[in-house]
Amino acid sequence: MPALTNIAGFPILSLITWLPLVGALIIATMLRGDEETVATNARWAALWTSLLVLVLSLVLWVSFDQADPGFQFNESVIWMPEFKVGYKMGVDGISVLFVLLSTLLTPICILSAWDAIKVKVREFMMSFLILETMMVGMFCATDFVLFYMFFEGVLIPMYLIIGIWGGPRRVYAAVKFFLYTLAGSVLMLLALIAMWVQAGTTDIATLMQTAFSPHMQTWLFLAFFASFAVKVPMWPVHTWLPDAHVEAPTAGSVILAGVLLKMGAYGFLRFSVPMLPDASTYFAPFIFSLSVVAVIYTSLVALAQEDMKKLIAYSSVAHMGVVTIGIFTFNVQGISGALFQMLSHGIVASSLFLVVGVVYDRIHTREIARYGGLGDRMPGYALVFMLFMMASVGLPGTAGFIGEFLVIIGSLQVNFWLALLGGMGMILGAAYMLYLYRRIIFGRITHADLRGILDLSTREWVVFAPLIALTLWMGIYPSSFTSYFDATVGAMVQHHTAALAATTKLAGIVH
Amino acid sequence: MLYALAVFAPLAGALVSGLLGRLIGDRNAMGASILGMVVAAVCGPLAFWQLTQGAEPGVLDLGNWIESGRFHVNWALRYDTLSAVMVAMVSFVSMLIHVYSIGYMGHDARPKYRFFAYLSLFSFAMLMLVTADNLVQLFFGWEGVGLCSYLLIGYWYDRPSACAAAIKAFVVNRIADLPFAVGLALIYFKFGSLEFSSIFPAVAAHGADTYALFGTTFSSIEVIAFLLFIGAMGKSAQLGFHVWLPDAMEGPTPVSALIHAATMVTAGVFLMARMSPLMEYAPYALGFVTFIGASTALFAATIGCAQNDIKRVIAYSTCSQLGYMFAAAGVGAYQASMFHLITHAFFKALLFLSAGSVIHAMSDEQDMRNMGGLWRRIPVTCMVMWVGSLALAGIFPFAGFYSKDAIIDATFAAGTAVGYYAWVCTLLAAVLTGFYSWRLLFLTFHGKPRASAQVMAHVHESPAVMLLPLVVLAIGALVAGFGLDDYFLQAAKAAFWRGSIFTAPSNLVLVQMEVVENEIPWLPFAPTAAGVLGILIAFVMYIVNPLLPVRMAQVFGPIYRLFLNKWYFDELYDRILVQPAIRLARLLWQVGDATLIDGVPNGLAELTSDGSKQIVKLQTGSLAVYAFAMLIGVVVLVAIFMLSR
């Protein structure tokens, strides 16, 4: 029987998850008329659907109980009873804000694609709504099988968005994206089966309490790692990301950087760390090494880029390196910092892709050398760009600082050099971002077509306004976000310490 | 409360002029920004005055900032002598510079609201820095002033040199900020807090803590102190990190005066005084502070002697004077370093603004070789610049006489090896200070005019709105020394500082200063004598025999070129840091990513997609493959479920 004993009093998570799909179906079936009418109606239908979903998720935001570390708003429908697989939804401190991030970025993406997407508008809007269903579902699923379906399902609309509305090399990028992420998923599927065989259930909350043998943990960890590392993406499996970003339309890049990039790190937090504590500890130095390499290597590569989107894509890899460092410190500051960095990167990197999109829509090139001196013509744009650049660099008072700083605090409790080298992004990030800004905004206008370029339109201001507000809010009063995951992270760290102690004790008895 | 108003009024001014500037027009935006600053300049000194009249020090809580597990910091304003004296100085000097900017930026073709918004925003960030009650808020101000400095150096963003200088300033500072941030993390690790009120009482108890690094163990307090000092070196442009400061002169002159002389660059010195409860337990780090400070004082002075750009001379002079302040902090005479910080703010702002007045008069000429004989045409500027130089050289009764001499004496009184080293360096630097200051005065104002007749015809005294701040600062440069000496260093110091600067019981440097001054009668006169000697050398070389400098440059060719080219630091860094980083970046990208890492998947992708021939195939073919793969996955899953049931 459906158990809907949550605060909202109705299956709010399912509603948030499936409503976009309903919107997509409506767009698919109900719209009639010539192409222009359909396009316009599809845009409005998608926007209203996504806004409705956003409002619903705000209910989630207000009624979430911050003191409860466990899953809330639980829904449970028996699905395949003989396998003990259920349709189970729920959010805890770790996932609730990502649901909000997804539902916030979707209308922003739809709005940013308003004029930019001109062909197959109906299909584009449908893809985006389906994508929203998959993303939200992934963050809400508390059953592993359900999670797996959403996790894989996300790839399909994203694949289409890059492959159909992308740039000239979209085929290459889409296939690369698909190959990389699929290869990892297959291994996760194996891990899922193994866990099910061992624990007899696919309920995530139960799996978190299940003690797997250290030997088994190692194999499970590697399988998960294959899947999540690609998604993060960690060095050296990151090269699909710059290509995917470069070819994706602006809205695609925004959602890719904003939400899809968080799937890997979310997976580490949801599965690897709580379910496989011994293996996570064992592999932590390995993760740290890869992450530090990611931070330094990709920051340097970003410095050499000549394509705006590629530069920001590489900077994303570096920022996600900070996230993976934070997760594997296993202390409250490190993990909270990682979560905060994920959220802030979700806002800031998305905004930077939008910033690129603004000039791309006008001049139709992402080549940095084609710009310069925009400050004169576009003062509003220069201001918005400056704010997000500084947030990306991690200036205190903006969202970017809190996560980075907490991770440095957390990682120093592990190792001095980890903190110092992991923090190298502070320096290199400043170098590549300021260099980018200089080449685009500063200097004199040398290209004739830039002389008539227009500053931000009202629609663009509407798109940026919530992102600007959030970037500052997260920087000035981050407690209103950290309070959501403080309890859950605290419980997670305790659970991790206890699990490690139990293993040590067990080993003591055996010896 | 007055204190909070002093901090937040500039922010309000900055927001109004920055965000609404285009809407309300330049004049109103300027007015808003200056109004905010005037409010601050009234409230700040008033709050400080209240404190000297016995008001209770305290902390003004503004709200919660970051919370994560046990980690917790607030937004809060600290109200004690150290903070309040900085607030008073920063708000007052900043207000003067705002006023001066009305005149100086008058001819600038761009909209001016941007300039004033940055300037006010800078003042806010600096005030947040000095009033911070925890290290994270201090870091907020620290980075905030860095941002504004970047924005203002690059204010004329159509000049490539200004853009380059702006980026250089930000990145060099960031290099130093990383160790600083790690230092904060280490403090949290050891003390469990970043709030001053929790750290300071706990330092003594952690005195024996050790921290393992480089395969050995150090006192953790020492490691923290070193890391914090590296941060201070960046912001205060000390040896090795100094390269950004002279380039920062690309910004408009009021910016150089406010940020790169009077306030921001002193943040590192302030940090040493603020963290004195911790620094006092780190003798090795303090020795290093003195060593770097003294070396910088001498090093920068040597460069200052050979520069021809009027602003660069003053820039290197700033660098050198900051070195003095660190030298004093390192021997435990934080009071002396703070004293010099305050007096220096007056006379260095004065020198920069007068230089601005000269540049303004000379139709934007900055090369002193093209000046000379200006004193008749711009007498007020000439006079105040003399006052500033007298204060800088430490001539009685000007401000520098009290503060700089105290530093030189303190290094001697410390009685340590590094202290004597610092004494020699600072004394030599005092000779050079006298020399380069009067070289500047003689080249600019005296001798024969070397500018073209056209430029000379145009030379005019600056408007009153620029001269007034100059005169006020000149009065400050005259009276700040004897006016404040008693409170900062002499009889009234305990009642003045009220424990806001901590000195360990074993730190007797201020007592020792009086002892050695009595024991060695010539010691107190040495600094003045050094300054006068420098002035005399300059007089001989530039007035008595103007051909001498050229001949000396030929005779001492290598040394002269070393000084002229700033000891080749820029070239060195370019060769060992910048170029290799750029080359490495290209290598990693083109070989690492494109060839090595992508080699494997590219091969696979080609197999699957058959190049990038057709889109049709993507939409049908590959998607089908993908769906098929998913289907297989599900089938396998179900099959295994069935089998293992």
Side-chain angles (χ1 to χ4, degrees):
Chain A
M1 271 288 97
L4 305 172
T5 51
N6 63 56
I7 313 169
F10 62 98
I12 184 168
L13 295 179
S14 291
L15 209 55
I16 297 175
T17 305
W18 298 108
L19 202 59
L21 189 67
V22 174
L25 290 176
I26 290 174
I27 294 175
T29 53
M30 312 272 271
L31 300 182
R32 295 277 182 276
D34 60 57
E35 203 178 334
E36 196 54 37
T37 327
V38 170
T40 312
N41 289 336
R43 286 187 189 112
W44 283 108
L47 183 64
W48 280 111
T49 311
S50 62
L51 285 176
L52 186 63
V53 173
L54 176 61
V55 170
L56 267 176
S57 62
L58 289 178
V59 175
L60 197 63
W61 156 266
V62 258
S63 41
F64 185 85
D65 177 11
Q66 302 182 352
D68 179 1
F71 288 108
Q72 305 179 30
F73 305 98
N74 291 314
E75 297 165 20
S76 173
V77 178
I78 295 164
W79 182 19
M80 294 186 263
E82 58 271 44
F83 310 124
K84 290 191 178 156
V85 174
Y87 172 85
K88 288 181 194 146
M89 302 282 249
V91 283
D92 64 355
I94 291 176
S95 51
V96 63
L97 294 179
F98 291 104
V99 172
L100 276 148
L101 183 68
S102 313
T103 57
L104 172 76
L105 286 179
T106 304
I108 287 177
C109 285
I110 289 171
L111 211 52
S112 78
W114 209 256
D115 298 329
I117 299 296
K118 294 191 171 65
V119 293
K120 299 190 179 171
V121 178
R122 182 214 294 249
E123 288 78 4
F124 182 85
M125 294 300 164
M126 282 169 57
S127 304
F128 245 93
L129 290 177
I130 295 170
L131 183 61
E132 184 174 21
T133 289
M134 296 300 167
M135 292 185 306
V136 174
M138 189 202 67
F139 288 121
C140 292
T142 54
D143 183 278
F144 201 165
V145 175
L146 193 62
F147 171 85
Y148 180 76
M149 292 181 139
F150 284 123
F151 192 81
E152 295 301 300
V154 166
L155 297 182
I156 302 172
M158 193 63 223
Y159 177 71
L160 293 174
I161 289 168
I162 298 175
I164 298 176
W165 294 276
R169 290 181 71 217
R170 55 183 180 267
V171 178
Y172 169 74
V175 170
K176 198 171 176 183
F177 168 73
F178 150 77
L179 276 179
Y180 258 104
T181 46
L182 187 71
S185 306
V186 173
L187 290 170
M188 185 166 78
L189 185 68
L190 286 176
L192 162 56
I193 294 163
M195 282 179 129
W196 176 76
V197 169
Q198 175 81 17
T201 179
T202 51
D203 179 54
I204 288 176
T206 316
L207 286 173
M208 275 157 70
Q209 300 304 327
T210 312
F212 297 98
S213 74
H215 179 71
M216 188 176 177
Q217 283 190 27
T218 307
W219 290 106
L220 288 174
F221 185 91
L222 288 173
F224 279 129
F225 176 78
S227 176
F228 298 145
V230 171
K231 286 270 176 14
V232 168
M234 291 176 74
W235 186 88
V237 286
H238 63 280
T239 53
W240 63 270
L241 184 71
D243 284 318
H245 267 310
V246 165
E247 298 308 323
T250 300
S253 286
V254 169
I255 212 77
L256 183 57
V259 183
L260 267 62
L261 239 53
K262 310 300 172 294
M263 288 164 59
Y266 177 74
F268 279 129
L269 276 170
R270 184 56 85 220
F271 298 96
S272 305
V273 174
M275 295 180 192
L276 316 169
D278 299 298
S280 295
T281 310
Y282 178 75
F283 282 108
F286 169 66
I287 302 269
F288 291 149
S289 315
L290 290 185
S291 306
V292 165
V293 171
V295 169
I296 297 173
Y297 179 110
T298 51
S299 296
L300 280 169
V301 173
L303 202 56
Q305 294 308 307
E306 284 139 20
D307 180 304
M308 290 194 250
K309 267 190 159 180
K310 253 195 170 158
L311 193 153
I312 296 165
Y314 274 110
S315 90
S316 291
V317 181
H319 281 124
M320 293 312 286
V322 174
V323 170
T324 43
I325 290 175
I327 291 173
F328 284 86
T329 58
F330 310 121
N331 57 50
V332 175
Q333 286 79 35
I335 295 179
S336 297
L339 273 167
F340 204 94
Q341 175 85 346
M342 285 158 76
L343 291 168
S344 84
H345 179 266
I347 300 288
V348 174
S350 320
S351 308
L352 283 171
F353 280 113
L354 287 170
V355 161
V356 173
V358 168
V359 286
Y360 182 78
D361 286 349
R362 288 160 172 71
I363 309 292
H364 302 291
T365 175
R366 294 176 315 263
E367 196 191 334
I368 297 170
R370 278 285 283 107
Y371 294 92
L374 292 185
D376 280 339
R377 303 289 314 148
M378 308 174 77
Y381 178 69
L383 180 69
V384 171
F385 194 169
M386 172 65 71
L387 176 81
F388 291 122
M389 168 177 81
M390 281 301 152
S392 168
V393 166
L395 194 82
T398 64
F401 168 69
I402 310 290
E404 202 170 346
F405 187 65
L406 284 175
V407 169
I408 290 180
I409 294 222
S411 54
L412 187 112
Q413 296 169 35
V414 176
N415 181 294
F416 178 85
W417 298 106
L418 180 63
L420 193 75
L421 295 174
M424 285 293 282
M426 257 180 79
I427 300 169
L428 295 167
Y432 63 70
M433 284 312 286
L434 296 186
Y435 185 42
L436 170 72
Y437 193 81
R438 173 195 175 172
R439 286 179 288 171
I440 293 176
I441 303 292
F442 289 164
R444 278 180 218 279
I445 292 184
T446 48
H447 301 281
D449 52 351
L450 298 180
R451 276 181 221 290
I453 198 166
L454 295 174
D455 206 351
L456 296 180
S457 70
T458 313
R459 181 180 58 79
E460 284 162 339
W461 275 112
V462 170
V463 167
F464 281 120
L467 298 168
I468 292 170
L470 266 173
T471 303
L472 292 174
W473 179 12
M474 287 174 79
I476 293 169
Y477 194 62
S479 304
S480 48
F481 300 89
T482 53
S483 60
Y484 276 83
F485 49 74
D486 230 18
T488 311
V489 170
M492 189 187 223
V493 170
Q494 256 177 7
H495 173 75
H496 181 81
T497 323
L500 285 188
T503 320
T504 321
K505 211 168 147 193
L506 206 65
I509 293 166
V510 172
H511 280 288
Chain B
M1 190 172 164
L2 287 175
Y3 202 56
L5 205 56
V7 176
F8 288 100
L11 176 66
L15 290 178
V16 170
S17 67
L19 298 180
L20 307 177
R22 269 183 299 163
L23 220 64
I24 59 177
D26 247 7
R27 284 188 71 85
N28 293 330
M30 248 155 71
S33 150
I34 285 170
L35 180 69
M37 244 13 262
V38 169
V39 170
V42 171
C43 296
L46 215 56
F48 169 60
W49 179 78
Q50 283 179 339
L51 200 62
T52 60
Q53 296 307 304
E56 271 310 300
V59 174
L60 181 67
D61 248 320
L62 300 172
N64 170 321
W65 185 15
I66 310 177
E67 211 149 27
S68 170
R70 286 187 310 131
F71 181 86
H72 174 91
V73 286
N74 273 344
W75 290 108
L77 303 182
R78 189 180 180 87
Y79 184 48
D80 64 4
T81 307
L82 186 59
S83 290
V85 74
M86 288 295 286
V87 168
M89 183 277 280
V90 170
S91 57
F92 185 68
V93 173
S94 178
M95 184 270 291
L96 289 178
I97 288 168
H98 272 72
V99 172
Y100 176 93
S101 303
I102 303 174
Y104 191 83
M105 300 305 284
H107 298 308
D108 205 61
R110 303 172 182 286
K112 283 171 270 298
Y113 70 89
R114 200 164 60 88
F115 182 79
F116 281 86
Y118 292 166
L119 219 51
S120 289
L121 188 65
F122 167 82
S123 310
F124 165 69
M126 188 69 201
L127 290 167
M128 284 299 269
L129 192 165
V130 297
T131 55
D133 186 46
N134 58 66
L135 280 159
V136 190
Q137 189 182 325
L138 190 140
F139 195 60
F140 167 82
W142 191 267
E143 295 288 78
V145 292
L147 166 69
C148 297
S149 161
Y150 158 79
L151 292 171
L152 283 164
I153 295 169
Y155 179 72
W156 285 311
Y157 57 78
D158 48 346
R159 299 181 186 169
S161 57
C163 294
I167 293 180
K168 187 174 177 182
F170 198 88
V171 172
V172 171
N173 268 294
R174 271 275 160 142
I175 293 173
D177 288 348
L178 175 60
F180 186 75
V182 173
L184 299 199
L186 187 53
I187 292 180
Y188 177 75
F189 184 44
K190 289 291 172 186
F191 291 85
S193 173
L194 286 172
E195 314 239 341
F196 294 141
S197 50
S198 312
I199 301 169
F200 293 164
V203 175
H206 285 80
D209 274 18
T210 55
Y211 191 69
L213 213 57
F214 302 112
T216 168
T217 56
F218 297 95
S219 148
S220 47
I221 306 279
E222 291 278 6
V223 177
I224 291 168
F226 262 103
L227 290 169
L228 293 185
F229 177 60
I230 293 174
M233 282 172 74
K235 198 108 284 179
S236 294
Q238 293 300 288
L239 192 60
F241 287 100
H242 66 281
V243 287
W244 68 270
L245 184 60
D247 287 18
M249 299 304 128
E250 288 293 339
T253 307
V255 171
S256 312
L258 178 62
I259 300 180
H260 307 118
T263 58
M264 182 184 88
V265 289
T266 62
V269 180
F270 168 77
L271 180 74
M272 294 293 110
R274 174 50 85 211
M275 295 309 288
S276 55
L278 191 138
M279 299 302 293
E280 283 290 270
Y281 287 89
Y284 292 102
L286 280 181
F288 183 65
V289 172
T290 303
F291 174 75
I292 291 289
S295 306
T296 308
L298 182 59
F299 159 82
T302 60
I303 301 176
C305 293
Q307 298 303 306
N308 294 316
D309 183 314
I310 184 167
K311 279 178 77 180
R312 282 193 181 245
V313 175
I314 308 176
Y316 279 105
S317 158
T318 305
C319 207
S320 165
Q321 297 302 309
L322 291 166
Y324 275 93
M325 298 176 210
F326 278 108
V331 296
Y334 307 98
Q335 290 87 345
S337 82
M338 283 304 295
F339 188 22
H340 197 51
L341 190 161
I342 299 289
T343 59
H344 176 259
F346 282 102
F347 61 70
K348 194 51 69 71
L350 171 62
L351 284 172
F352 261 119
L353 293 184
S354 337
S357 180
V358 171
I359 295 166
H360 200 69
M362 293 290 292
S363 316
D364 293 334
E365 174 64 75
Q366 300 196 9
D367 194 329
M368 296 188 298
R369 286 171 298 190
N370 300 330
M371 297 181 182
L374 294 178
W375 71 274
R376 273 179 215 282
R377 313 295 284 271
I378 45 175
V380 182
T381 303
C382 173
M383 206 179 69
V384 293
M385 203 149 188
W386 265 82
V387 173
S389 300
L390 285 166
L392 175 61
I395 306 297
F396 180 85
F398 294 91
F401 173 79
Y402 295 91
S403 55
K404 202 168 91 174
D405 288 15
I407 287 175
I408 297 174
D409 288 353
T411 54
F412 188 88
T416 56
V418 73
Y420 290 124
Y421 168 77
W423 185 72
V424 173
C425 283
T426 50
L427 208 55
L428 283 175
V431 179
L432 297 176
T433 307
F435 173 74
Y436 67 64
S437 300
W438 264 262
R439 172 172 173 267
L440 185 153
L441 288 177
F442 292 145
L443 282 176
T444 307
F445 295 108
H446 306 281
K448 286 201 185 67
R450 292 179 298 277
S452 66
Q454 195 189 356
V455 172
M456 279 310 280
H458 192 66
V459 171
H460 58 280
E461 188 60 281
S462 298
V465 73
M466 286 167 72
L467 290 183
L468 195 71
L470 289 180
V471 173
V472 175
L473 286 170
I475 295 170
L478 178 62
V479 304
F482 54 80
L484 297 175
D485 192 30
D486 209 33
Y487 301 104
F488 275 73
L489 283 175
Q490 308 299 334
K493 63 175 182 283
F496 176 76
W497 290 109
R498 292 208 265 176
S500 59
I501 289 178
F502 175 81
T503 40
S506 58
N507 177 356
L508 297 171
V509 67
L510 292 186
V511 182
Q512 200 61 29
M513 266 168 78
E514 287 173 33
V515 176
V516 292
E517 279 172 13
N518 289 332
E519 273 176 5
I520 310 171
W522 56 265
L523 196 67
F525 300 101
T528 313
V532 172
L533 177 66
I535 297 171
L536 285 177
I537 298 172
F539 182 71
V540 170
M541 282 179 67
Y542 292 93
I543 297 293
V544 177
N545 186 356
L547 292 176
L548 205 56
V550 182
R551 214 176 314 142
M552 282 184 62
Q554 282 165 354
V555 175
F556 299 104
I559 293 180
Y560 173 71
R561 276 195 298 278
L562 184 68
F563 292 172
L564 182 68
N565 292 305
K566 310 148 200 166
W567 295 55
Y568 297 100
F569 260 93
D570 282 325
E571 289 76 4
L572 182 73
Y573 283 173
D574 190 60
R575 192 105 17 110
I576 65 167
L577 292 174
V578 181
Q579 293 307 326
I582 291 172
R583 269 201 298 275
L584 183 64
R586 294 239 167 79
L587 185 80
L588 290 179
W589 177 30
Q590 274 150 4
V591 178
D593 261 26
T595 312
L596 294 179
I597 296 177
D598 262 3
V600 181
N602 276 356
L604 279 174
E606 266 157 34
L607 283 179
T608 326
S609 75
D610 193 22
S612 51
K613 265 186 215 156
Q614 313 142 1
I615 301 151
V616 184
K617 193 168 180 188
L618 166 77
Q619 283 164 14
T620 56
S622 301
L623 189 62
V625 171
Y626 181 65
F628 186 62
M630 274 210 52
L631 192 68
I632 290 177
V634 175
V635 169
V636 169
L637 186 70
V638 173
I640 292 178
F641 279 155
M642 299 286 218
L643 288 173
S644 57
R645 184 151 57 114

